[in-house]
Amino acid sequence: MTQVGTVYGQALYSLAREERLTENILSQLRLVKACFDAEPDYLSLLGSVSLPKPERCQLLDESLGKALHPYLLNFLKILVEQGKICYFPDCFTAYQQDYYNDHNILPVTAVTAIALSQPQTQQLKEKLAKITGKDILLSNRVDLDLMGGVRLEYDGKQLEDSIAQRMQQMRQLLKNTVL
């Protein structure tokens, strides 16, 4: 995440927190991110210097103006006017991280060889909540290379207890064994 994205995202979060709009703005940010992800050319157009800034801001008004809170719409216009709309994904990430920190939420990705069932997902969420003391936002990603077990990814950390990891440890042990 860039420093620009962090500064702008945290500034938006600070305003939203003062106005008690953090959840509303986050849900709208997710919609904007989904739009930009679905149409990356639109984000490029908003950052294009060949189109005058007022016209780019007018595009925002026409496409998103009625759907967004004025604070968020103005935030996007500021990014356009400052030539920083390309940092929107980082702004979104910074805002979301601040929201999660304020609401004691820990996003965790469980990487497994097969999709977790609903009971398994619930058990894992409860166990992680007890360990961390946080509300767990759990997502599951399937990776067939694991062969079995689970790898948990959160806060830039990885905890792994998979067959692939155990086999790698066994290889290292055998490789380092002197006969």
Side-chain angles (χ1 to χ4, degrees), residues 84-134:
K84 303 200 182 315
I85 193 69
C86 62
Y87 294 105
F88 174 81
D90 292 337
C91 297
F92 170 79
T93 300
Y95 184 100
Q96 184 171 257
Q97 284 178 347
D98 283 355
Y99 179 87
Y100 287 165
N101 287 339
D102 274 0
H103 292 84
N104 202 33
I105 297 170
L106 179 64
V108 177
T109 301
V111 183
T112 56
I114 58 172
L116 294 173
S117 67
Q118 185 61 35
Q120 289 171 323
T121 300
Q122 190 59 37
Q123 283 180 323
L124 185 55
K125 280 176 72 170
E126 290 171 4
K127 186 171 187 176
L128 290 172
K130 284 181 184 175
I131 292 169
T132 64
K134 296 185 180 250

Side-chain angles (χ1 to χ4, degrees), residues 10 40 96 134-135 148 173-174:
Q10 288 177 341
Q96 184 171 257
K134 296 185 180 250
D135 293 328
L173 181 64
L174 292 172

Side-chain angles (χ1 to χ4, degrees), residues 3 10 16 20 34 44 64 76 78 82 85 87 99 101 105 111 124 127 132 162 165-166 177:
Q3 183 176 0
Q10 288 177 341
R20 301 185 196 287
S44 296
L64 299 170
L76 294 173
I78 289 169
Q82 297 295 318
I85 193 69
Y87 294 105
Y99 179 87
N101 287 339
I105 297 170
V111 183
L124 185 55
K127 186 171 187 176
T132 64
S162 67
Q165 183 245 356
R166 290 180 188 182
T177 301

Side-chain angles (χ1 to χ4, degrees):
M1 186 166 37
T2 62
Q3 183 176 0
V4 170
T6 300
V7 169
Y8 278 78
Q10 288 177 341
L12 178 62
Y13 186 79
S14 178
L15 173 64
R17 186 176 48 220
E18 286 176 20
E19 299 293 326
R20 301 185 196 287
L21 294 167
T22 57
E23 193 168 330
N24 184 27
I25 298 291
L26 179 59
S27 67
Q28 291 183 7
L29 274 169
R30 287 178 176 148
L31 291 173
V32 172
K33 183 179 182 310
C35 290
F36 288 167
D37 288 348
E39 296 293 336
D41 290 341
Y42 184 67
L43 185 60
S44 296
L45 179 65
L46 292 173
S48 174
V49 294
S50 63
L51 190 63
K53 290 176 186 177
E55 288 181 30
R56 289 184 270 161
C57 289
Q58 182 65 31
L59 286 173
L60 284 169
D61 282 331
E62 292 170 1
S63 61
L64 299 170
K66 293 180 180 166
L68 299 181
H69 189 280
Y71 290 159
L72 181 53
L73 183 61
N74 289 335
F75 174 77
L76 294 173
K77 288 179 182 180
I78 289 169
L79 290 178
V80 166
E81 290 170 354
Q82 297 295 318
K84 303 200 182 315
I85 193 69
C86 62
Y87 294 105
F88 174 81
D90 292 337
C91 297
F92 170 79
T93 300
Y95 184 100
Q96 184 171 257
Q97 284 178 347
D98 283 355
Y99 179 87
Y100 287 165
N101 287 339
D102 274 0
H103 292 84
N104 202 33
I105 297 170
L106 179 64
V108 177
T109 301
V111 183
T112 56
I114 58 172
L116 294 173
S117 67
Q118 185 61 35
Q120 289 171 323
T121 300
Q122 190 59 37
Q123 283 180 323
L124 185 55
K125 280 176 72 170
E126 290 171 4
K127 186 171 187 176
L128 290 172
K130 284 181 184 175
I131 292 169
T132 64
K134 296 185 180 250
D135 293 328
I136 303 299
L137 182 63
L138 186 65
S139 61
N140 183 210
R141 188 174 75 235
V142 174
D143 180 356
L144 298 176
D145 291 338
L146 282 181
M147 296 184 262
V150 65
R151 180 175 62 233
L152 299 176
E153 299 171 349
Y154 64 94
D155 275 347
K157 301 175 194 168
Q158 285 189 11
L159 299 175
E160 186 166 349
D161 186 23
S162 67
I163 293 173
Q165 183 245 356
R166 290 180 188 182
M167 289 176 61
Q168 180 62 27
Q169 288 175 339
M170 185 64 76
R171 276 190 213 99
Q172 283 299 113
L173 181 64
L174 292 172
K175 183 179 176 182
N176 294 333
T177 301
V178 178
L179 298 175

